[in-house]
Amino acid sequence: MIVWGLNIIDLMIMVLYFVGIIAFGLWVSRRVKTEEDYFIGGRRFGKSVLIFHWLCTGTHTDNPVQVSGACYRVGLGGIWYQWMWLFLTPFYWLIAPITRRLRYITTGDFFRDRYSPGLERLYAVIGISFYIMTIALVMLGAGNAISGATGGKMSLDLAIAILSVISVIYVMTGGLVAAAYTDIIQGILIIVLSIMLVPFAIHKAGGLAAVGVKLSEKADMLSIVAPAGAKEGTLFFVAMMSLVCLVGIVVQPHTLTATGSGKTELEARMGMCYGNFIKRFLTIAWALVGVIGFALYAGELTDKTSDQVWGRCIRDLLPTGFRGLMLAAMLAGVTACETYMVVGSAIFTRNFYEHILPNRKDRHYLWVGRFASFGMLLTGIMVALVADWYSEAGRSALSTVLKMSMEIIAFMGAAFWVGITWRKANSWGVWAGTLGALAAWAIALFGLGWETPARVALFVPVEFGLLILVSLLTKRPDEKRLDKFYAQLHCSVADEKGEELTLDPDRPKLINHPDFEIPKLTALDLIGFAIAWGIVAGLIFLLMGLAAMIG
């Protein structure tokens, strides 16, 4: 029996999966009593929970849809739509303890304490805008996956409506606790089934030799970077997207929240670094599905419809049962919206609402956060539908929304990087850097018509340069306020004794100058950083080796 283009068995598996995670969310909600429980899981997550939480927070349905679609269009070079973070991942080993030591619930708290309430509110606007775009991206990707897997029997609008209902029920009950624990199950399914799809695709195409022959019809399909002149996947694209992601990753709102939910800094490191390395590995499978999909569907799918290749492969290649399980796991990637909705609602509640109505009970703020989550989801749905119409006009909605979201959040990245290292950085400098970056970006986009890599090459130097220059020319921040802030940065969570933190005058610093506050790197920092770079090299060699086997 076929319903919406799916075998009834596959459909039943999907329904049972979603009923199960909703029931789990309702059960977990009994543990959620306070703001800290709802927004950051009570700071009690261990290594394994955080690894899968980071994997699934950063892995949602639009990722394989976008990567396989890009690789269908330009070859393996399309992998850089997700591997733009590959060269950043070793830095996660160093970033995680910093964000954990800051001991904030939201990144908006950082901007208030380090700079000013005005910048706290500016960040809230940018952070919530970033999340609305990200929610739209997730919904749009899920819709494309469903459309491909059902042969168009289920419309994008209906798919988004169903997924939205699931997200609302789930996030308004368990918050980050529920999201983190279901990520373990979802993560295992994504790992196994993503890898499983590759041999099915190779078999369907007639073996590696047949795939190689078909790919030889189009130049550079097995090159790990796109040919010069392409708009995506070139060396310049890789360099600039890596740069904008490094600048912006520290102020993506869920970075501080996810690392802050770990018991100690080591849990934060392991989760952020190795959860994302698992995703980098899975991205290879998604890329291979894209290029093998070219061998299967060239002539059927155009560049405009290439985002359907992932769903098409699920429908045509996996056997009954596995198809439903894969769709359930991938569409459950929409539960990444849970994390974005929870963290975004925390920004709204703490960095907006609590200033308007202070000193209310935790239960009051908890419900405000839940309804703020619902509002963000509705706005994200509207953006997804508008983006789909934009795509119908001949542009790639997934790629456009992804790149623009990375640019927008990076407008305040310099404020974080400079603020944790240089005492002279002040509010005037951040305002100048952020608004200057926005102006440069707008001129490059609307005035000059530049693509994302060129825009990044312009606005990032403007952002850092103006921040530093204006900070040098204006009054430096209050020293007592700075001492309180940097006391957190230099005190390990493990060394905290429940007393008020004070800045140690003999603290070990990388640069022994009174204006710089870069903590001295430890052996754990250096060894973990080196191991991470070894994994980066291993992943690149693995991709090159697989390309050589096919070609």
Side-chain angles (χ1 to χ4, degrees):
M1 183 177 178
I2 304 299
V3 180
W4 280 328
L6 292 172
N7 187 287
I8 189 65
I9 296 175
D10 293 322
L11 198 60
M12 288 177 61
I13 289 174
M14 294 172 63
V15 171
L16 288 173
Y17 183 92
F18 284 122
V19 169
I21 64 171
I22 289 173
F24 183 76
L26 292 169
W27 178 75
V28 166
S29 67
R30 298 180 303 171
R31 301 173 58 186
V32 178
K33 307 296 183 184
T34 67
E35 275 190 279
E36 189 170 275
D37 287 338
Y38 185 75
F39 293 135
I40 57 173
R43 299 192 190 275
R44 55 176 175 260
F45 295 158
K47 298 182 186 67
S48 59
V49 173
L50 273 179
I51 285 173
F52 282 106
H53 181 50
W54 269 104
L55 167 64
C56 294
T57 296
T59 305
H60 22 87
T61 313
D62 65 282
N63 297 158
V65 170
Q66 185 177 56
V67 170
S68 58
C71 290
Y72 182 94
R73 295 191 298 271
V74 301
L76 286 179
I79 197 173
W80 294 101
Y81 266 111
Q82 287 303 314
W83 266 19
M84 67 176 79
W85 285 278
L86 178 63
F87 298 121
L88 278 66
T89 313
F91 291 95
Y92 293 173
W93 187 260
L94 306 178
I95 291 170
I98 294 173
T99 52
R100 180 63 182 91
R101 285 184 180 188
L102 289 175
R103 300 164 174 85
Y104 295 129
I105 291 181
T106 74
T107 311
D109 299 342
F110 163 83
F111 281 95
R112 181 188 62 246
D113 284 3
R114 177 60 181 85
Y115 294 111
S116 69
L119 285 171
E120 173 191 11
R121 296 184 185 96
L122 175 64
Y123 173 77
V125 172
I126 290 178
I128 291 173
S129 299
F130 168 77
Y131 268 159
I132 288 172
M133 295 181 72
T134 305
I135 289 170
L137 194 66
V138 172
M139 292 296 179
L140 198 59
N144 274 291
I146 293 174
S147 179
T150 63
K153 300 294 184 182
M154 183 181 290
S155 69
L156 174 63
D157 294 353
L158 178 59
I160 289 177
I162 293 172
L163 295 168
S164 300
V165 170
I166 294 170
S167 292
V168 167
I169 295 173
Y170 199 65
V171 80
M172 291 188 71
T173 53
L176 197 65
V177 175
Y181 283 105
T182 53
D183 282 346
I184 296 177
I185 300 171
Q186 181 187 328
I188 293 172
L189 288 174
I190 290 172
I191 292 168
V192 173
L193 294 170
S194 291
I195 296 172
M196 183 184 295
L197 190 57
V198 176
F200 278 109
I202 294 172
H203 176 75
K204 180 72 173 180
L208 286 176
V211 172
V213 171
K214 185 66 177 179
L215 295 181
S216 65
E217 298 175 5
K218 186 175 179 179
D220 299 309
M221 285 296 288
L222 293 174
S223 171
I224 66 170
V225 293
K231 291 185 177 180
E232 49 193 3
T234 63
L235 284 175
F236 183 59
F237 177 93
V238 172
M240 290 301 100
M241 294 309 296
S242 297
L243 174 62
V244 77
C245 290
L246 180 60
V247 173
I249 185 64
V250 287
V251 287
Q252 287 189 16
H254 60 274
T255 297
L256 189 146
T257 306
T259 54
S261 62
K263 294 177 183 177
T264 68
E265 292 155 26
L266 182 59
E267 278 81 7
R269 288 183 197 262
M270 294 292 292
M272 187 175 187
C273 191
Y274 289 98
N276 279 289
F277 266 134
I278 295 173
K279 180 181 177 181
R280 310 294 178 254
F281 174 73
L282 292 179
T283 306
I284 296 177
W286 304 337
L288 291 175
V289 169
V291 294
I292 298 171
F294 179 83
L296 292 171
Y297 304 117
E300 296 181 40
L301 296 177
T302 65
D303 284 356
K304 181 179 177 180
T305 59
S306 59
D307 287 338
Q308 294 183 18
V309 68
W310 179 260
R312 186 74 70 88
C313 285
I314 292 174
R315 186 193 69 178
D316 295 345
L317 305 180
L318 290 179
T320 300
F322 284 103
R323 186 186 304 116
L325 198 57
M326 170 65 103
L327 279 172
M330 297 310 304
L331 297 183
V334 79
T335 59
C337 288
E338 300 154 6
T339 300
Y340 304 142
M341 291 159 64
V342 169
V343 179
S345 68
I347 294 172
F348 174 81
T349 303
R350 293 182 59 83
N351 305 124
F352 267 129
Y353 188 83
E354 288 188 17
H355 293 300
I356 300 172
L357 290 176
N359 304 318
R360 298 301 175 97
K361 293 182 178 180
D362 269 345
R363 185 173 181 82
H364 175 85
Y365 293 127
L366 181 61
W367 278 104
V368 169
R370 283 170 168 159
F371 283 109
S373 298
F374 181 66
M376 288 181 61
L377 178 63
L378 288 180
T379 310
I381 291 169
M382 289 189 287
V383 173
L385 295 175
V386 171
D388 183 53
W389 300 333
Y390 183 65
S391 177
E392 289 175 359
R395 301 293 298 271
S396 171
L398 281 172
S399 300
T400 300
V401 174
L402 173 66
K403 290 183 287 187
M404 194 165 291
S405 67
M406 293 299 104
E407 293 173 277
I408 288 173
I409 197 63
F411 290 158
M412 297 195 77
F416 188 97
W417 285 112
V418 179
I420 64 171
T421 57
W422 189 45
R423 294 177 73 97
K424 285 188 176 182
N426 63 22
S427 300
W428 291 107
V430 175
W431 278 106
T434 302
L435 296 180
L438 176 60
W441 175 82
I443 291 170
L445 174 60
F446 300 110
L448 302 174
W450 289 1
E451 296 290 334
T452 296
R455 296 197 298 265
V456 171
L458 174 64
F459 84 76
V460 168
V462 169
E463 180 182 354
F464 278 88
L466 284 176
L467 191 161
I468 294 170
L469 178 61
V470 173
S471 293
L472 286 170
L473 297 175
T474 52
K475 184 179 177 180
R476 66 186 294 146
D478 178 71
E479 292 296 330
K480 290 183 179 180
R481 183 175 182 176
L482 290 176
D483 287 347
K484 183 178 179 180
F485 172 81
Y486 287 113
Q488 297 178 130
L489 188 63
H490 285 277
C491 180
S492 170
V493 173
D495 296 335
E496 190 174 356
K497 300 177 181 178
E499 303 173 354
E500 183 177 353
L501 299 177
T502 57
L503 190 62
D504 183 358
D506 298 320
R507 58 194 178 279
K509 299 197 297 183
L510 191 64
I511 301 175
N512 191 21
H513 187 281
D515 285 338
F516 293 100
E517 292 287 353
I518 308 172
K520 190 174 182 179
L521 297 177
T522 65
L524 181 61
D525 293 328
L526 297 172
I527 293 172
F529 191 61
I531 291 173
W533 276 110
I535 296 174
V536 169
L539 288 171
I540 293 174
F541 281 121
L542 175 61
L543 181 62
M544 294 173 64
L546 291 171
M549 287 177 59
I550 297 173

